Amino acid sequence: MKFCFCPCCSASLTKKKIQGKLRLVCSSCDFIFFQNSKPCVGGLILRGAKDKEILLTKRAFPPKQGTWDIPGGFLEKGEDPRIGLKREIKEELGVNAEVMDLYDIIADHYGVEKTATLNLFYFVKLLGNPEKPSDDISEFAFFPLHKPPQNIGFQNVKKVLSRLRKE
Ligand SMILES: [Zn+2]
């Protein structure tokens, strides 16, 4: 994403090397625009003992509209990741969830602006049956871990499914 103006004083931003890294800095005040990956959470919802299946959701909107995804989403500012994941699962699947152990953390990017993301994956236990999908997913389904659907949108989802498959 391209930023042109200081969010503090609206003066133009310029590039400047600080401690060896090129940063956007304000031309007027002392603001330095440190940019970081955006944290996202994903819930690994597994069922079955031997041939495990995983719940995936189909994206109703861009980016990657119509592809399969792991339930979850972006954290709000200051939000605890486990609370954010419970919130996302309630929004998408209409069910309360218990967030268990952290499984993996995978860097990726999102959308046409290629926003850097940091995706935290937790095992999740649903406390009830998922209901009808919410408006940002069009459907959900369980897939065998060894045979996931072809059209998976995000690299981070492919990577975490691949790791789960090998274990
Ligand atoms: Zn400024």
Side-chain angles (χ1 to χ4, degrees), residues 83-112:
I83 290 170
L85 184 50
K86 281 186 197 184
R87 173 183 58 71
E88 285 286 349
I89 287 175
K90 182 80 180 176
E91 285 170 12
E92 293 187 349
L93 301 169
V95 65
N96 289 318
E98 189 180 340
V99 178
M100 321 286 281
D101 290 341
L102 178 67
Y103 177 66
D104 210 345
I105 302 173
I106 302 174
D108 199 359
H109 52 78
Y110 181 92
V112 287

Side-chain angles (χ1 to χ4, degrees), residues 44 54 56 70 103-104 106 121 144-149 152 154-167:
L44 306 171
I54 187 161
L56 300 177
I70 282 172
Y103 177 66
D104 210 345
I106 302 174
F121 291 101
L145 267 183
H146 67 271
K147 208 180 171 197
I152 289 171
F154 296 110
Q155 282 302 322
N156 70 86
V157 174
K158 288 180 190 170
K159 283 181 185 171
V160 77
L161 290 178
S162 165
R163 186 181 160 195
L164 278 168
R165 201 159 45 237
K166 285 173 191 154
E167 288 178 3

Side-chain angles (χ1 to χ4, degrees), residues 5-13 25-32:
F5 301 103
C6 174
C8 300
C9 76
S10 310
S12 55
L13 292 170
V25 299
C26 180
S27 55
S28 176
C29 74
D30 57 2
F31 179 75
I32 303 170

Side-chain angles (χ1 to χ4, degrees), residues 41 75-87 122:
V41 282
L75 290 178
E76 299 289 342
K77 183 186 171 190
E79 189 176 37
D80 179 277
R82 290 167 188 274
I83 290 170
L85 184 50
K86 281 186 197 184
R87 173 183 58 71
Y122 291 88

Side-chain angles (χ1 to χ4, degrees), residues 124-138:
V124 163
K125 197 164 90 184
L126 294 184
L127 304 173
N129 290 320
E131 293 175 9
K132 66 177 175 61
S134 83
D135 58 3
D136 61 350
I137 63 168
S138 59

Side-chain angles (χ1 to χ4, degrees), residues 57-67 134-139:
T57 52
K58 191 177 260 189
R59 299 177 61 81
F61 297 107
K64 312 279 188 191
Q65 185 175 9
T67 65
S134 83
D135 58 3
D136 61 350
I137 63 168
S138 59
E139 58 178 298

